[in-house]
């Protein structure tokens, strides 16, 4: 299994820098992964929904560390290729000023 496409769009939501979609093996897509600038650096958070209790639960997620790392590496490589934090922060600010 491999990530065959990564698409990113800038957002300005607290520590979230971008929203990602990935395609796996040109056959399966996952939307709404979040690129987060956390206290220990960038990481990729899986899509989740808020439960009535206020907790968040992942909608989908890898079941082993290797797959999680493969997804994170693919997304963060594309994020860096598109300019990284500063580029996405500037793009998000530009989008907000248009609104």
């Amino acid at each position: 299994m491999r990530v065959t496409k990564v698409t990113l769009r800038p957002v300005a939501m607290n520590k979230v820098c971008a929203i990602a979609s990935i395609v796996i093996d040109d056959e399966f897509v996952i939307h709404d992964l979040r690129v987060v600038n956390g206290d220990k650096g960038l990481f990729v958070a899986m899509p989740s929904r808020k439960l009535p209790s206020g907790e968040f639960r992942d909608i989908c997620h890898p079941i082993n560390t290797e797959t999680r790392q493969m997804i994170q590496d693919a997304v963060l490589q594309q994020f860096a290729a598109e300019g990284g934090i500063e580029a996405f922060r500037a793009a998000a600010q530009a989008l907000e000023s248009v609104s």
Side-chain angles (χ1 to χ4, degrees):
M1 179 176 74
R2 64 188 180 94
V3 177
T4 51
K5 183 176 181 182
V6 176
T7 319
L8 296 161
R9 60 185 171 148
V11 295
M13 297 179 350
N14 298 325
K15 293 184 176 192
V16 179
C17 303
I19 300 294
S21 294
I22 62 170
V23 177
I24 297 173
D25 291 336
D26 290 323
E27 296 179 0
F28 189 80
V29 66
I30 302 173
H31 297 292
D32 295 333
L33 292 96
R34 296 175 314 281
V35 177
V36 180
N37 188 11
D39 296 336
K40 297 180 181 178
L42 292 171
F43 68 94
V44 176
M46 294 297 122
S48 62
R49 77 173 98 173
K50 190 173 185 177
L51 301 175
S53 66
E55 293 180 303
F56 285 87
R57 180 168 305 236
D58 285 350
I59 295 169
C60 62
H61 58 89
I63 58 171
N64 60 52
T65 304
E66 295 80 19
T67 303
R68 180 175 296 276
Q69 193 64 51
M70 176 202 52
I71 291 169
Q72 181 159 291
D73 289 348
V75 172
L76 294 182
Q77 283 175 352
Q78 185 64 36
F79 185 77
E82 292 185 25
I85 292 172
E86 293 306 318
F88 278 84
R89 185 175 291 143
Q93 289 173 346
L95 288 173
E96 284 183 337
S97 67
V98 172
S99 301

